[in-house]
Amino acid sequence: MKKLFLLLLTAFLFIGCSSEEENIYDYIGTWSGKYEGSEKGTWYIVVASDGKVTGTMHSDDTNENYNISGHLDTSGDLNAVIGLPADGEFRGTLTVEEDNEKGSGTWRNSVPTPDRSGSWTGEKE
């Protein structure tokens, strides 16, 4: 009975880990797009296999670059900050469906002052 229990427990652990890895796996890679609002420009992020997100926003208005860093969970929810140290936020959702890999959300940046904010859209490259 113990062997059967251990076998089933091991199988469930592999199934649980596998589906989580598959969900993150679908998001791994480079995503890019445009942002607009009180400022406009382009952005790109790279999603790693552990869900870590790194990237850059480039402002067409100020010709400045801002770092993006954060995390993506297995459901596609993106929670990132702008700047080092954090001066703003870059949040939204990435969606991976058949032939439809898109993302959208909101951004806010407080450097340089005054605060600027708006929305962003993009897709997986």
Side-chain angles (χ1 to χ4, degrees):
M1 189 66 165
K2 284 183 183 179
K3 289 181 182 179
L4 179 61
F5 176 74
L6 289 174
L7 181 63
L8 289 173
L9 179 63
T10 304
F12 284 123
L13 287 174
F14 282 121
I15 291 169
C17 293
S18 175
S19 67
E20 185 173 313
E21 289 172 6
E22 287 173 8
N23 286 340
I24 270 297
Y25 179 77
D26 293 336
Y27 299 103
I28 295 172
T30 303
W31 295 72
S32 63
K34 297 190 179 293
Y35 69 94
E36 58 187 14
S38 47
E39 184 175 289
K40 65 179 180 173
T42 57
W43 61 269
Y44 85 92
I45 58 171
V46 175
V47 178
S49 61
D50 61 357
K52 183 177 178 183
V53 173
T54 55
T56 304
M57 286 176 64
H58 175 78
S59 170
D60 293 341
D61 298 339
T62 65
N63 202 30
E64 295 282 331
N65 291 319
Y66 306 99
N67 290 325
I68 299 173
S69 60
H71 189 266
L72 181 77
D73 69 20
T74 56
S75 64
D77 290 331
L78 174 63
N79 187 6
V81 296
I82 299 172
L84 296 172
D87 298 316
E89 57 189 37
F90 193 86
R91 296 180 184 219
T93 303
L94 303 181
T95 305
V96 178
E97 298 172 355
E98 290 181 36
D99 299 327
N100 185 19
E101 301 172 325
K102 300 201 179 281
S104 63
T106 60
W107 65 275
R108 180 188 59 78
N109 194 2
S110 60
V111 171
T113 55
D115 282 6
R116 294 169 321 282
S117 62
S119 61
W120 58 265
T121 59
E123 58 190 30
K124 189 174 181 184
E125 294 183 1

